Amino acid sequence: MTETPRYHPGFGNHVSTEAVPGALPIGRNSPQHVPFGLYTEQLSGTAFTAPRHENRRTWLYRLRPTAQHHAFTRYDGAPNLRAAPFDTPPSPNRMRWDPLPWPDAATDWLDGLVTYGGNGSVAEQTGVAIHLYAATADMDRAFFSADGELLIVPQKGALTIDTEMGRLDVAPLQIAVIPRGVRFRVRLDNNGRARGYVCENYGAPFRLPDLGPIGANGLANPRDFETPAAWFEDRDEPCTIIQKFQGALWQTTLDHSPFDVVAWHGNLAPYRYDLTRFNAINTVSFDHSDPSIFTVLTSPSDTPGTANCDFVIFPPRWMVAEGTFRPPWFHRNVMSEFMGLIVGAYDAKEGGGFVPGGASLHNQMNGHGPDQTSYEKAVTSDLKPVKIDGAMAFMFETRHVVRTTAWAQTSPTMQLDYDDVWRGFPKATLPR
Ligand SMILES: [Fe+2]
């Protein structure tokens, strides 16, 4: 349990990994004669016939078949977890929240999930759900989402994520992605406290964005992604397994650990990425690039260039542009923007209010941009090269409007005075 996880580097690689030497079948007799009598199972992350460059599947070799379980029954926990379609009326209003408070009672990662909003439909496999979590206890059970892939962004407290394919240590400034259907449990560091953000992606799996004229290098480089080496538990003790299926939670109890995959090979697997390794590209002449220049991962939709969801970061970087308003200008966007802050201060909100662990939402076509403090600084500052350092904000940017949940709309963490951020700007003066 305590050994340090091992990893295979690279994004989307076909990995072959075994926790016991000789467990991986090789060659023409292997489909019938699997070493040690292990059970073979294919996990498909795309349709069988998806084009090769999009096809994701993994072969698992395990102590027992996954199919060996009793019927699932409904689970009533995770009281603030919701799924699309969201039935709350959509709001055009800009919203901002303080960080999630720590729960009073011991709460594990699953029960500590709180859905702020989302879009699309689990049935149609489009859109996202956006959750935050505040957890104070280790999971002693396993979970998987049949509805979507989970992009986990820790903000406070490192996580150890035990999955069927291996274990991931994920600290703040790192992210983890757990594919749809993969079973996992979350254990906590930081004296048993962890807080962060989750994008549950119902659409196409996240992938690296195309780089176009940037060329073959830059942004998130494939070699910096890490997939766990095979790891398993040989434990014949009861273990509850909970799944999220079409928005509802279901549970059953196995008489053994679900983490019993001794070896696997394929390209459908959890992975982690260190955001500090992001190679930021930006202007060296003038003006402000669109934030898409900082895309780490994208879930494409059926419309080219219009993402189901982009995961974008605002990493430490030099600002050198001449004659330029360096923070983001005021803007209105056909996409909807949900932002979080892992550490530091975001350069368009230097007036306070957007704090680490907090969140904001700017829905489709509604104006937003710098607060007055950031504006005054940006139009008066001496434009020497400046390094934005010690900060890491991020955005889940999605083509569909985000409908917030009743919890998010009525939570005491919602800042009811957020509109005031833009109230004091004086009228421009025309020549007379
Ligand atoms: Fe924006």
Side-chain angles (χ1 to χ4, degrees), residues 291 328-329 331-333 337 339 346 362 366 368-369 395 397:
W329 256 121
H331 56 285
R332 291 179 292 163
N333 190 352
E337 307 177 8
M339 285 192 65
Y346 177 58
H362 306 134
N366 277 277
H368 59 283
M395 176 163 68
E397 186 178 20

Side-chain angles (χ1 to χ4, degrees), residues 12-143:
N13 291 353
H14 283 264
V15 168
S16 291
T17 176
E18 56 188 15
V20 173
L24 263 181
I26 296 173
R28 63 178 295 166
N29 292 323
S30 65
Q32 184 180 18
H33 303 288
V34 179
F36 316 133
L38 294 168
Y39 294 93
T40 303
E41 177 187 54
Q42 181 177 206
L43 180 66
S44 297
T46 51
F48 296 141
T49 47
R52 180 178 283 267
H53 69 277
E54 292 184 0
N55 206 304
R56 298 195 194 187
R57 67 92 179 91
T58 282
W59 286 94
L60 307 167
Y61 302 95
R62 57 196 320 151
L63 298 179
R64 298 174 184 81
T66 300
Q68 189 180 67
H69 64 78
H70 300 295
F72 282 83
T73 57
R74 290 294 293 269
Y75 173 68
D76 294 328
N80 295 310
L81 185 61
R82 297 288 181 277
F86 292 90
D87 55 7
T88 46
S91 168
N93 285 323
R94 299 154 306 193
M95 301 178 199
R96 193 163 70 181
W97 295 268
D98 293 330
L100 263 187
W102 296 107
D104 295 329
T107 301
D108 71 8
W109 184 87
L110 173 61
D111 281 350
L113 287 168
V114 177
T115 306
Y116 279 46
N119 52 35
S121 158
V122 291
E124 301 296 330
Q125 301 192 354
T126 61
V128 296
I130 297 166
H131 318 291
L132 274 73
Y133 64 87
T136 55
D138 291 346
M139 285 174 68
D140 63 358
R141 50 195 181 169
F143 173 67

Side-chain angles (χ1 to χ4, degrees), residues 229-263:
W231 159 91
F232 71 103
E233 288 181 336
D234 186 359
R235 234 165 68 184
D236 295 329
E237 296 166 19
C239 180
T240 298
I241 184 159
I242 296 170
Q243 67 166 301
K244 182 166 169 291
F245 182 86
Q246 295 295 288
L249 295 175
W250 295 78
Q251 65 177 339
T252 192
T253 300
L254 310 180
D255 61 3
H256 58 276
S257 170
F259 304 110
D260 67 349
V261 176
V262 181

